[in-house]
Amino acid sequence: MIKVNEIFYSLQGEGFYTGTPAVFLRLSGCNLACSFCDTQHQDGVNMTDEDIVKEVRKYPARHIVITGGEPTLQLTASLTQALKRAGFFIQIETNGSIALPEGCEIDWITCSPKTKPIRIQRIDELKVLYPRQDMESCEGIVAKEYRLQPIDCGDAETNRENVKETISYILNNPKWHLSLQTHKILNVR
């Protein structure tokens, strides 16, 4: 059984796949307690792999984003294999502090590290929240894509400053690309 916080259908709002129709599978719980976390992920209901596949198949997209909290706390090879059999492209969003269980079939790993060491086996997209992150700690992390995302702290003036600082950093460090929380800008889930 996996404790599921919510399942919903929307557009991917952040990172490399921004704008892609996706089913979101938010798993409950996290191993960190970041002060800037904008997600209520603690509650949930227990579901089997079959329950989850049945629910996510109700939506037309076959791109699924498994997120949390921290999805690797509960993710299983059997769930990812069931989703692959159902035709899904599987993306996870993780803090990278826990390795994937053996046998997990993941197509795209978005890692937004908050602590060291990083234990995830590979990173397709490194997404760093800025400006609160120590960028020196991200040097040497190998990924296909590098994204810098301004933190939304809920205060308009501070948010404007965060965007300004993020853009300045990217212009001075062009391996990084800007990631915005477009779902918030567009007011979609």
Side-chain angles (χ1 to χ4, degrees):
M1 295 293 254
I2 294 176
K3 189 173 179 184
V4 175
N5 176 265
E6 63 179 336
I7 297 172
F8 63 97
Y9 183 54
S10 189
L11 297 177
Q12 172 58 291
E14 305 173 357
F16 184 79
Y17 284 101
T18 295
T20 301
V23 180
F24 288 81
L25 170 60
R26 185 179 309 285
L27 304 184
S28 299
C30 189
N31 59 330
L32 303 178
C34 301
S35 62
F36 50 82
C37 184
D38 61 358
T39 305
Q40 298 299 318
H41 53 75
Q42 295 80 8
D43 296 331
V45 296
N46 289 322
M47 298 177 76
T48 65
D49 293 351
E50 294 77 23
D51 295 334
I52 292 169
V53 171
K54 182 179 177 185
E55 187 64 28
V56 299
R57 288 184 86 178
K58 292 179 181 177
Y59 303 102
R62 288 298 173 257
H63 185 116
I64 189 165
V65 179
I66 304 174
T67 186
E70 176 48 47
T72 58
L73 288 170
Q74 297 191 73
L75 194 63
T76 63
S78 65
L79 174 60
T80 64
Q81 292 162 5
L83 290 167
K84 291 306 282 181
R85 284 192 302 275
F88 281 89
F89 176 93
I90 302 172
Q91 175 185 358
I92 66 164
E93 294 180 347
T94 176
N95 62 35
S97 64
I98 300 170
L100 287 173
E102 191 167 323
C104 279
E105 297 182 23
I106 306 295
D107 298 296
W108 189 263
I109 298 173
T110 300
C111 179
S112 183
K114 313 297 187 300
T115 62
K116 287 255 184 166
I118 294 175
R119 292 192 167 93
I120 199 84
Q121 291 90 325
R122 77 169 204 271
I123 299 173
D124 296 299
E125 174 181 16
L126 182 65
K127 184 178 71 177
V128 176
L129 304 180
Y130 197 79
R132 306 241 170 90
Q133 192 88 13
D134 171 20
M135 294 305 291
E136 216 173 278
S137 68
C138 296
E139 291 302 318
I141 297 175
V142 177
K144 294 177 186 171
E145 298 285 332
Y146 295 87
R147 306 274 182 224
L148 212 56
Q149 181 169 296
I151 290 177
D152 177 0
C153 64
D155 174 71
E157 182 61 34
T158 304
N159 285 350
R160 279 191 291 278
E161 192 58 35
N162 287 349
V163 169
K164 183 179 173 184
E165 287 182 40
T166 303
I167 290 170
S168 176
Y169 188 89
I170 291 169
L171 290 172
N172 288 307
N173 300 275
K175 90 172 185 180
W176 293 93
H177 297 194
L178 182 64
S179 175
L180 297 174
Q181 293 180 300
T182 60
H183 55 292
K184 290 182 179 181
I185 296 167
L186 299 173
N187 198 29
V188 297
R189 178 127 204 238

